[in-house]
Amino acid sequence: MKTTQDHPIHDVIISGAGPVGLFLACELALAKCSVLILEKAADPHSPLKQLPFGIRGLSSLTIEALYRRRMLNELELYKRLKNPHQNAKQGPRRQVGHFAGIPFHEGDIDASQWEYRLPGSTDTSLISEMQELETVFARRAESLGVTIKRGLAITGFQQTGDGVTVQSGEQSFHSKWLVGCDGSRSVVRKMGGFEFAGTEPEFTGYTVLADISDPEKLSPGRNVTPTGMYVQSQPGYVLIQDFDGGAFHNSEKPLTLEHVQEVLRRISNTDVTITALHTATTWTDRARQATSYRNGRILLAGDAAHIHAPLGGQGLNLGLGDAMNLGWKLAATIQEKAPEGLLDSYYAERYPIGAQVLDWSRAQVAIMKPNPPGRALYGIIRDLINTRDGATYMAARVWGINMQYNLDSNHRLAGRSVPNFEFEDGVKIGELMHNSQGVLLDFDGNVSLKKLASAYGDQIRYVSCNAKDRLGVSALLIRPDGIIAWAADNDPDYNELQLAADRWFERIS
Ligand SMILES: Cc1cc2nc3c(=O)[nH]c(=O)nc-3n(C[C@H](O)[C@H](O)[C@H](O)COP(=O)(O)OP(=O)(O)OC[C@H]3O[C@@H](n4cnc5c(N)ncnc54)[C@H](O)[C@@H]3O)c2cc1C
């Protein structure tokens, strides 16, 4: 880290110590960048981040990322929830996700259709908690040298050709790059000249923890009513959707017991009585996405770059995917070893994935609408989800099983997350990816491949090992984010491999 007039100049300032900002900081620090996070909230703890409000579903790609960076084992909550005695009670009807509130069940999913998932892969989904995730990420970030300053909101910034000056009230901070991970109302996005395009909301969603004197008046499960929808998953913990066009959420009106009771009574068509409101929050299905994720030295990731309804729980996974994609590319750019276009590939790869998630949430809202077309579509989709192929398709989409970047390659694996190949000694490829290096994986002990990898110094680690199941592949080049950049089934085409390596890494000899 350089200093100027006693001010340290960080490589990167990140606005926001939410899960995306913290995870990105870990990725940058792992690649030896100096990182300062400025976080608006003074206290990292909040009831909204703890159970039941803070419950978050993590999906396949996130779980793989945490496993590869050796953080999966630090999450405790899912280990408790994986208690086999609990799950045995539910058997194959265990609900593992939903689309528009229509559940899909473990026993209906045909995982054999996912031909690139090997035995010994990490879970496809698990339950976590915002508080726990942020604690684990913050601990890792600080152990890697990241500075986190809490209680300092970014209030402004200016960029020049070689850096950014960031203001938090009277204080100024300097860095080469600024990344806005400051959530849906991102100041970095608003002040950074980014367009945020999309669609307006159909409803206000409520998540409520309350004392209800007569909870039996509410029907169990998900209830679609003429004016909206409600779910009471445990006494007093209620989700409500009120199709008011997002009016209440957008208003400045306070969220009072009286208001929540009025909405719940109207939506449930009961005279249910709330005696105490412990915690309540509102959200909408507004779906917007930044039309660019970079403006000069300013970048966006996570909810700062895209917002949508939390239905089916994908926003966090999407944001962590942004961070995994951006971290190594920004680090290489800072360290002046990025091939041309590397940083721009962040937007090129992540924008389409974000757009798909926004459409996924819009499709759910369309069939949840309490009107005849919505009901008709809902019934058809429910029937499809109740088929084996339907449940398998839904699960694959929600968990990101088939996510594939377009890397202009004809190979079936290029652009996908690397399958967790297990070597003959029992070690798995995911266990070798904790330090964010690229890997050239050679199943045939080809000396020429070793030589090629050495031309990229420590950016590419050469691993020669036979795998128990190679999926028909002889060699693969894996990026630091776990994405397959190149693969060959038979004798490798060296020119093709060289081109792929030059696209992602800097040749040093
Ligand atoms: C009810 C609900 C349920 C959800 N369930 C799921 C789920 O199951 N799975 C899933 O994947 N996603 C889920 N999501 C979405 C998920 O919570 C978000 O996508 C995720 O939190 C985004 O992370 P982030 O770090 O980008 O933003 P945030 O979590 O919003 O963090 C942003 C941080 O920036 C800070 N900040 C804001 N302004 C400033 C400033 N000016 N200066 C400095 N700091 C600032 C904030 O204090 C905050 O700490 C759910 C969302 C909701 C509302």
Side-chain angles (χ1 to χ4, degrees), residues 197-325:
T199 47
E200 286 304 298
E202 301 276 357
F203 65 78
T204 295
Y206 297 78
T207 310
V208 177
L209 188 61
D211 289 341
I212 300 179
S213 59
D214 41 10
E216 68 286 351
K217 287 183 176 166
L218 299 175
S219 305
R222 178 175 183 273
N223 300 276
V224 178
T225 72
T227 46
M229 186 282 299
Y230 74 91
V231 184
Q232 182 179 227
S233 50
Q234 62 190 62
Y237 183 57
V238 189
L239 299 182
I240 313 168
Q241 264 170 271
D242 182 9
F243 280 78
D244 65 347
F248 181 79
H249 179 84
N250 291 338
S251 73
E252 300 289 308
K253 292 182 190 156
L255 188 52
T256 60
L257 181 153
E258 290 72 25
H259 174 76
V260 174
Q261 178 170 277
E262 182 278 314
V263 175
L264 185 55
R265 284 182 170 181
R266 178 164 44 80
I267 300 288
S268 63
N269 199 20
T270 66
D271 60 355
V272 66
T273 300
I274 297 178
T275 50
L277 188 63
H278 298 301
T279 316
T281 182
T282 64
W283 36 277
T284 73
D285 57 317
R286 175 177 283 112
R288 287 183 178 260
Q289 189 174 15
T291 55
S292 162
Y293 287 6
R294 176 182 172 196
N295 180 0
R297 292 180 166 269
I298 316 294
L299 290 144
L300 300 176
D303 278 14
H306 36 67
I307 55 165
H308 56 85
L311 304 168
Q314 297 203 74
L316 170 65
N317 292 288
L318 183 61
L320 294 176
D322 292 346
M324 193 75 174
N325 190 290

Side-chain angles (χ1 to χ4, degrees), residues 16 19-20 38-40 56-57 153-154 182 303 313-317:
V20 175
L38 299 176
E39 164 56 49
K40 179 166 79 173
R56 292 292 181 271
I154 288 192
D182 44 355
D303 278 14
Q314 297 203 74
L316 170 65
N317 292 288

Side-chain angles (χ1 to χ4, degrees), residues 205-477:
Y206 297 78
T207 310
V208 177
L209 188 61
D211 289 341
I212 300 179
S213 59
D214 41 10
E216 68 286 351
K217 287 183 176 166
L218 299 175
S219 305
R222 178 175 183 273
N223 300 276
V224 178
T225 72
T227 46
M229 186 282 299
Y230 74 91
V231 184
Q232 182 179 227
S233 50
Q234 62 190 62
Y237 183 57
V238 189
L239 299 182
I240 313 168
Q241 264 170 271
D242 182 9
F243 280 78
D244 65 347
F248 181 79
H249 179 84
N250 291 338
S251 73
E252 300 289 308
K253 292 182 190 156
L255 188 52
T256 60
L257 181 153
E258 290 72 25
H259 174 76
V260 174
Q261 178 170 277
E262 182 278 314
V263 175
L264 185 55
R265 284 182 170 181
R266 178 164 44 80
I267 300 288
S268 63
N269 199 20
T270 66
D271 60 355
V272 66
T273 300
I274 297 178
T275 50
L277 188 63
H278 298 301
T279 316
T281 182
T282 64
W283 36 277
T284 73
D285 57 317
R286 175 177 283 112
R288 287 183 178 260
Q289 189 174 15
T291 55
S292 162
Y293 287 6
R294 176 182 172 196
N295 180 0
R297 292 180 166 269
I298 316 294
L299 290 144
L300 300 176
D303 278 14
H306 36 67
I307 55 165
H308 56 85
L311 304 168
Q314 297 203 74
L316 170 65
N317 292 288
L318 183 61
L320 294 176
D322 292 346
M324 193 75 174
N325 190 290
L326 175 60
W328 66 282
K329 294 176 180 175
L330 181 55
T333 305
I334 290 165
Q335 290 156 0
E336 297 182 357
K337 54 185 186 193
E340 202 182 329
L342 183 70
L343 192 54
D344 290 336
S345 72
Y346 164 58
Y347 171 76
E349 291 178 356
R350 295 304 300 172
Y351 181 86
I353 305 290
Q356 278 171 21
V357 171
L358 262 64
D359 274 350
W360 190 254
S361 81
R362 288 186 184 113
Q364 293 184 76
V365 176
I367 70 164
M368 289 173 114
K369 276 177 118 172
N371 59 23
R375 295 253 158 74
L377 275 168
Y378 184 90
I380 293 168
I381 301 290
R382 185 194 51 217
D383 290 350
L384 288 173
I385 291 179
N386 285 333
T387 66
R388 200 160 174 72
D389 281 351
T392 306
Y393 168 80
M394 287 294 169
R397 282 290 304 260
V398 172
W399 296 337
I401 303 283
N402 292 322
M403 201 278 293
Q404 186 169 25
Y405 297 132
N406 179 3
L407 301 189
D408 306 316
S409 163
N410 291 328
H411 198 279
R412 63 195 178 283
L413 288 179
R416 291 181 186 274
S417 178
V418 64
N420 205 14
F421 293 108
E422 181 174 353
F423 306 132
E424 283 173 336
D425 59 3
V427 173
K428 298 186 183 120
I429 182 64
E431 296 163 22
L432 304 182
M433 298 175 64
H434 55 279
N435 62 359
S436 186
Q437 262 178 313
V439 176
L440 182 54
L441 185 53
D442 177 7
F443 292 139
D444 286 333
N446 192 327
V447 180
S448 314
L449 292 191
K450 186 174 184 182
K451 192 162 167 245
L452 189 144
S454 67
Y456 297 85
D458 63 6
Q459 297 167 88
I460 299 182
R461 174 177 179 184
Y462 172 78
V463 175
S464 172
C465 222
N466 199 5
K468 289 180 179 167
D469 182 349
R470 310 162 154 214
L471 294 172
V473 175
S474 65
L476 308 105
L477 178 64

